[in-house]
Amino acid sequence: MTYKTVLFVIDANQNENDLTAAADLCAPANAHLSVLLVKLAVPPPLGEYAAMSVAWLDERAEDMQQLDKAVERVRATLKGLGISFDANGIYCETAWADDDVGNRARYADVTLIGASLKTDSPLRARAIDGALFYSARPVLLATNRQSVTLRPKKIVLAWNSTMEAARAAREALEIMESAEEVNVVLVDPSAASTKSGDEPGADVATYLARHGIKVTVDRLASGGRRVDEVLNQHAIDTSADLIVMGAYGHTRLRERIFGGVTKAMIEAPIVPVLMVH
């Protein structure tokens, strides 16, 4: 998949460093940067006659004015960076933010979630869910430790033989083709002909190799550690620029209650992560 349109979701109090990083991501790939500034609406007050509260209406009006000003600042910043871009803002109810982001993400190749959005966890969660579940597009999670790129040299592909992992591998095929090295990582794999085959990882490695991808299969023992810890550590050990993985092999509700690899990787990405559902 060649990424020619990148949707960048950011809050109204956007971070200048994140905006510059998004522009730096798009420039080498000659990709269009579509910035979506999101402001979650102030919920209505409770109590008798609360719906008609003048203070509540004034606060919402002020928020919308601040959002308009933030959009203008983004446009002014990007205008001098020499890239193709557009910038728009939406003021939306929290309950519908994932739908709004998902609708916009359908017209992009990938949705970028900047590191600064971690300070706005409700918006970040809604933006990620919207892009993953309502757009049929991947999500790229940036970190504040490492710059994100569409041309990574070293990639870790998390593989567990699920449909989500297969979609992630297919989505990232062109990125992996241009990489210097791809490590297919399996954590505590079991040899079963119905799932991973007699030699876990061999089938996906053969598939990738036919596309000219330089593949190494790493079968790792967890040793009692969580899978996300093993993946992150291996990404560090191999100096990976990107982790590619399928998202939510279990239901979102189960992941949120009991935890899971997707939830852990979303909450604390060590290196940039490309997720596909």
Side-chain angles (χ1 to χ4, degrees), residues 201-219:
D203 289 343
V204 67
T206 300
Y207 164 72
L208 296 177
R210 290 192 185 112
H211 286 272
I213 297 170
K214 306 173 187 66
V215 186
T216 301
V217 176
D218 297 324
R219 304 179 187 92

Side-chain angles (χ1 to χ4, degrees), residues 1 149-155 172-182 211-214 241:
M1 180 70 189
T149 175
L150 294 177
R151 296 179 177 179
K153 294 181 179 179
K154 295 186 177 182
I155 298 173
L173 205 56
E174 289 189 26
I175 291 178
M176 290 190 288
E177 286 174 351
S178 61
E180 294 177 358
E181 182 180 358
V182 175
H211 286 272
I213 297 170
K214 306 173 187 66
D241 305 304

Side-chain angles (χ1 to χ4, degrees), residues 217-240:
V217 176
D218 297 324
R219 304 179 187 92
L220 307 178
S222 64
R225 295 175 296 166
R226 300 196 313 266
V227 172
D228 58 285
E229 292 177 343
V230 177
L231 288 174
N232 280 323
Q233 187 58 55
H234 198 62
I236 294 171
D237 293 342
T238 57
S239 300

Side-chain angles (χ1 to χ4, degrees), residues 112-131:
L112 173 64
I113 305 295
S116 67
L117 209 56
K118 292 183 73 174
T119 61
D120 190 342
S121 54
L123 174 55
R124 187 175 188 270
R126 291 285 183 176
I128 292 172
D129 278 3

Side-chain angles (χ1 to χ4, degrees), residues 134-179:
Y134 300 117
S135 75
R137 301 288 189 270
V139 169
L140 182 57
L141 304 177
T143 75
N144 53 15
R145 306 184 187 191
Q146 185 175 343
S147 60
V148 62
T149 175
L150 294 177
R151 296 179 177 179
K153 294 181 179 179
K154 295 186 177 182
I155 298 173
V156 163
L157 172 63
W159 185 256
N160 59 0
S161 301
T162 62
M163 287 191 297
E164 292 78 14
R167 291 190 193 108
R170 182 65 186 87
E171 180 68 37
L173 205 56
E174 289 189 26
I175 291 178
M176 290 190 288
E177 286 174 351
S178 61

